[in-house]
């Protein structure tokens, strides 16, 4: 597979939620797991891009070419532009993906096929890294147009909120995506902490219709964790809401952990199916991205 290196230009992500600092000790109520006092700055940050070849909807997705480059390469190049990352690696269980990534200069950590989701894959990769890190950023490999400013935003949010163990980002939900179960919705409290995530429309009103005046929020896949919490996460038992919605972040909330959420201005362009590739390529041509 032939690949070449170049960086894509980025637009600025507009972070509109203020970042609030706390002083509490993070506690897992459900798991009764004590994390210890949060480090003041959580300064050392690693970005991990989980990538697997097997996928029920789109097998081999990380290697699909988007305007001549594998999608995993495009995600890696965008992520490299984030200023808060001390290190960036790809975590995969597939040698074809590993070989491709090494070909364009990425560091690769081989992980087990038994990982149930990206969070578990990130944890295994973290354990295999030689250096220690305070924050791990889970960067979705199927977001080839990820804004590096969003990566920096969720890192800074977690650094400024020591009572949280997890941070993520949301953007405005388009009305046409309101009832799409592949578009995960989110609601937050007045301080910017997550209340709930759902594949259904939340909040849901009595008319059962989209309220054009309400600011519904779409969850973006990117998330960051306190490294101590990431080591605890795989040991937590699956929870009812997590299993019903098939959303791993609900296990965090159901166990009593706090999750910081920032809102950004971002066009979500993930690749979930083969049909999405053509849409991404058309968008990149419109923006003169190569």
């Amino acid at each position: 597979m032939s690949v070449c290196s170049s960086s894509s230009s980025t637009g600025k992500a507009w972070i509109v939620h203020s970042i609030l600092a706390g002083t509490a000790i993070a506690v897992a109520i459900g798991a009764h797991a004590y994390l210890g006092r949060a480090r003041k700055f959580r300064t050392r940050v690693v970005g991990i891009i989980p990538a697997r070849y097997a996928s029920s909807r789109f097998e081999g997705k990380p290697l699909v070419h988007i305007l001549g480059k594998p999608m995993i390469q495009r995600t890696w190049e965008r992520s490299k532009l984030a200023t808060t990352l001390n290190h960036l690696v790809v975590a995969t269980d597939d040698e074809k993906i590993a070989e491709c990534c090494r070909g364009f200069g990425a560091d690769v950590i081989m992980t087990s096929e038994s990982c149930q989701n990206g969070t578990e894959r990130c944890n295994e990769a973290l354990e295999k890294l030689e250096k220690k890190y305070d924050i791990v950023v889970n960067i979705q490999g199927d977001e080839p147009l990820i804004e590096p400013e969003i990566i920096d935003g969720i890192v800074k949010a977690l650094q400024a909120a020591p009572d949280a163990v997890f941070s993520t980002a949301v953007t405005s939900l388009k009305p046409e995506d309101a009832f799409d179960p592949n578009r995960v919705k989110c609601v937050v409290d007045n301080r910017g902490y997550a209340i709930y995530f759902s594949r259904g429309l939340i909040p849901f009103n009595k008319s059962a219709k989209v309220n054009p005046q309400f600011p519904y929020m779409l969850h973006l896949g990117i998330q960051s964790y306190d490294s101590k919490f990431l080591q605890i996460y795989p040991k937590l038992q699956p929870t009812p809401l997590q299993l019903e919605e098939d959303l791993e972040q609900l296990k965090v909330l159901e166990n009593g952990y706090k999750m910081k959420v920032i809102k950004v201005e971002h066009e979500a362009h993930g690749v979930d199916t083969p049909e999405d590739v053509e849409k991404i390529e058309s968008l990149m041509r419109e923006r003169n991205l190569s």
Side-chain angles (χ1 to χ4, degrees), residues 186-239:
C186 174
V187 288
V188 301
D189 66 17
N190 290 335
R191 297 180 61 220
Y193 290 90
I195 298 175
Y196 194 67
F197 296 85
S198 180
R199 295 186 180 277
L201 182 64
I202 51 173
F204 194 76
N205 59 52
K206 290 188 293 184
S207 74
K209 297 179 181 179
V210 175
N211 177 2
Q213 305 303 317
F214 191 86
Y216 299 102
M217 292 187 292
L218 170 69
H219 180 227
L220 303 176
I222 187 169
Q223 46 209 24
S224 71
Y225 327 92
D226 178 277
S227 60
K228 282 188 175 181
F229 166 74
L230 185 57
Q231 294 167 357
I232 293 171
Y233 176 88
K235 301 173 186 176
L236 300 176
Q237 292 299 308
T239 53

Side-chain angles (χ1 to χ4, degrees), residues 2-290:
S2 62
V3 294
C4 57
S5 297
S6 72
S7 294
S8 301
S9 61
T10 63
K12 292 292 181 180
W14 176 40
I15 299 176
V16 299
H17 272 235
S18 57
I19 299 172
L20 302 172
T23 57
I25 294 175
V27 177
I29 295 175
H32 304 289
Y34 173 64
L35 285 177
R37 188 171 299 278
R39 284 156 285 192
K40 186 175 181 181
F41 297 110
R42 290 167 166 164
T43 54
R44 291 199 55 80
V45 184
V46 60
I48 300 178
I49 305 174
R52 66 190 184 101
Y53 191 88
S55 172
S56 58
R57 287 187 296 177
F58 194 172
E59 187 176 49
K61 181 168 65 170
L63 300 181
V64 66
H65 274 225
I66 296 178
L67 293 185
K69 290 183 182 180
M71 181 167 62
I72 189 71
Q73 180 179 359
R74 291 200 174 276
T75 302
W76 181 82
E77 289 177 348
R78 299 284 285 184
S79 302
K80 286 284 286 184
L81 298 174
T83 61
T84 54
L85 299 183
N86 299 108
H87 191 35
L88 178 66
V89 301
V90 174
T92 186
D93 58 5
D94 186 85
E95 190 55 45
K96 292 185 292 293
I97 294 176
E99 182 180 357
C100 172
C101 292
R102 295 187 188 106
F104 59 76
D107 288 337
V108 178
I109 301 291
M110 298 303 296
T111 54
S112 169
E113 294 182 2
S114 65
C115 293
Q116 296 297 306
N117 50 51
T119 303
E120 291 188 10
R121 199 172 302 282
C122 283
N123 178 55
E124 184 178 336
L126 178 67
E127 292 175 346
K128 293 182 176 181
L129 288 170
E130 294 181 1
K131 293 183 178 179
K132 301 298 181 183
Y133 295 92
D134 305 316
I135 290 177
V136 177
V137 186
N138 179 348
I139 303 168
Q140 299 295 306
D142 57 6
E143 275 271 354
L145 298 182
I146 183 67
E147 302 280 3
E149 290 86 1
I150 295 179
I151 297 174
D152 292 336
I154 65 168
V155 168
K156 291 175 182 177
L158 191 55
Q159 289 172 330
D163 56 340
V165 298
F166 191 117
S167 66
T168 190
V170 296
T171 193
S172 297
L173 177 72
K174 294 180 180 179
E176 59 266 31
D177 292 333
F179 299 106
D180 184 347
N182 292 317
R183 296 290 186 251
V184 176
K185 295 80 178 176
C186 174
V187 288
V188 301
D189 66 17
N190 290 335
R191 297 180 61 220
Y193 290 90
I195 298 175
Y196 194 67
F197 296 85
S198 180
R199 295 186 180 277
L201 182 64
I202 51 173
F204 194 76
N205 59 52
K206 290 188 293 184
S207 74
K209 297 179 181 179
V210 175
N211 177 2
Q213 305 303 317
F214 191 86
Y216 299 102
M217 292 187 292
L218 170 69
H219 180 227
L220 303 176
I222 187 169
Q223 46 209 24
S224 71
Y225 327 92
D226 178 277
S227 60
K228 282 188 175 181
F229 166 74
L230 185 57
Q231 294 167 357
I232 293 171
Y233 176 88
K235 301 173 186 176
L236 300 176
Q237 292 299 308
T239 53
L241 296 175
Q242 173 204 2
L243 294 174
E244 183 64 20
E245 297 262 15
D246 190 21
L247 295 173
E248 59 185 280
Q249 60 268 36
L250 289 178
K251 183 166 74 169
V252 180
L253 297 181
E254 286 184 87
N255 277 289
Y257 289 99
K258 282 195 169 187
M259 185 184 306
K260 190 68 175 176
V261 180
I262 62 169
K263 187 175 181 183
V264 302
E265 189 178 78
H266 176 69
E267 287 273 349
H269 297 292
V271 176
D272 296 314
T273 66
E275 292 73 28
D276 291 329
V277 174
E278 186 176 341
K279 297 176 184 177
I280 289 284
E281 291 184 328
S282 296
L283 182 64
M284 292 179 68
R285 290 189 186 101
E286 290 175 7
R287 297 182 179 181
N288 293 319
L289 299 175
S290 58

